Amino acid sequence: MNQLAKRDDRTALFQPSSKEDLKQALQTFVDVGLAKSMKEAFVKAWHGQNMGLNALESMTGLDMLETEYFDKALGQKVRKSQIRPSANLLRKKAFETGDVLYCYVQGDAESATCTVRRKSWPKERPDEVATWTIEDAKRAGLADKPIWLKYPRRMLANRALYDAVSDAFPDLFGAAGDDLGDVVPVEPDRARVQVGTPVDVTNLASPGQTFE
């Protein structure tokens, strides 16, 4: 049976007691749709634990992002995988600090602006403000994605929220995005992202065990 070790009143850490326990838990995350694969579930759980998140926060609040671009040195398209907290997780953790004076988003399907202020800031320090427009989304290659076409207002709001909160609270998780490894060449008909960085599973499995 999976064991949840209490770190404090808010956070229960994901600590399976055996290798089989770990595999069963990761497969459960995949089965209920919280991760696309066991590898993704493992990466989210491991990074989430290092960020002080419980298992559910890790699965629902961490995003696996894939970036594709042309690498001049390699002379071909490559993909890179990155993991980072979602806008909603950032906002939740910011409010848990008790240092949010206000945080709000205003906008529509064309643009969104998020304004954040910390209680601890001096009066002369201006609010943290971030704006995302549909033109920004187009330049980033996002506007044509199905979810952006269906929910442009929500997606713009999330982008503005993420930028404003991460800039106002850089101390929440350290770096906003965590690079998962080296770039991977995109092969015709086999465009798959691989995780290139070895992962220390000390906190997720018993001593001497590894996850395959």
Side-chain angles (χ1 to χ4, degrees):
M1 179 179 293
N2 292 341
Q3 297 177 352
L4 292 177
K6 298 285 286 185
R7 168 173 286 185
D8 55 36
D9 291 337
R10 297 172 304 164
T11 306
L13 295 182
F14 175 57
Q15 294 184 337
S17 58
S18 68
K19 183 176 180 180
E20 289 305 314
D21 219 18
L22 172 63
K23 287 186 175 182
Q24 182 178 358
L26 297 178
Q27 186 59 55
T28 299
F29 293 142
V30 175
D31 292 343
V32 299
L34 293 178
K36 296 178 182 178
S37 65
M38 290 181 67
K39 178 179 286 188
E40 179 178 316
F42 172 69
V43 171
K44 284 185 175 183
W46 181 77
H47 280 270
Q49 178 156 297
N50 287 341
M51 296 161 72
L53 304 177
N54 62 42
L56 185 59
E57 286 176 328
S58 299
M59 294 302 122
T60 61
L62 295 180
D63 296 328
M64 294 279 288
L65 307 177
E66 300 173 8
T67 303
E68 182 177 314
Y69 60 94
F70 185 82
D71 188 296
K72 293 182 179 180
L74 295 176
Q76 61 182 315
K77 284 186 177 181
V78 295
R79 278 186 178 177
K80 205 166 191 178
S81 186
Q82 187 182 56
I83 190 167
R84 71 177 188 181
S86 67
N88 286 331
L89 178 61
L90 277 179
R91 178 174 56 183
K92 177 178 182 290
K93 290 302 181 180
F95 273 96
E96 286 181 359
T97 67
D99 195 26
V100 177
L101 183 61
Y102 49 77
C103 174
Y104 59 89
V105 180
Q106 296 174 308
D108 51 32
E110 294 296 322
S111 69
T113 298
C114 180
T115 304
V116 180
R117 184 164 194 83
R118 298 180 69 155
K119 296 176 181 178
S120 59
W121 284 347
K123 292 182 179 180
E124 61 272 15
R125 205 285 194 191
D127 294 344
E128 192 65 53
V129 180
T131 298
W132 259 76
T133 68
I134 199 66
E135 292 302 319
D136 293 328
K138 290 178 180 179
R139 284 191 291 271
L142 301 171
D144 292 333
K145 295 182 178 296
I147 193 169
W148 277 82
L149 294 173
K150 192 172 183 178
Y151 304 108
R153 181 175 179 176
R154 174 61 62 87
M155 300 306 293
L156 288 172
N158 282 343
R159 284 283 175 161
L161 177 65
Y162 181 91
D163 287 354
V165 176
S166 60
D167 287 342
F169 288 84
D171 48 330
L172 277 181
F173 298 121
D178 193 353
D179 189 358
L180 296 184
D182 297 332
V183 296
V184 179
V186 176
E187 303 176 18
D189 300 324
R190 290 187 59 201
R192 299 187 62 180
V193 176
Q194 300 176 8
V195 178
T197 302
V199 177
D200 180 1
V201 297
T202 303
N203 293 326
L204 288 180
S206 301
Q209 292 182 329
T210 59
F211 171 69
E212 300 175 349

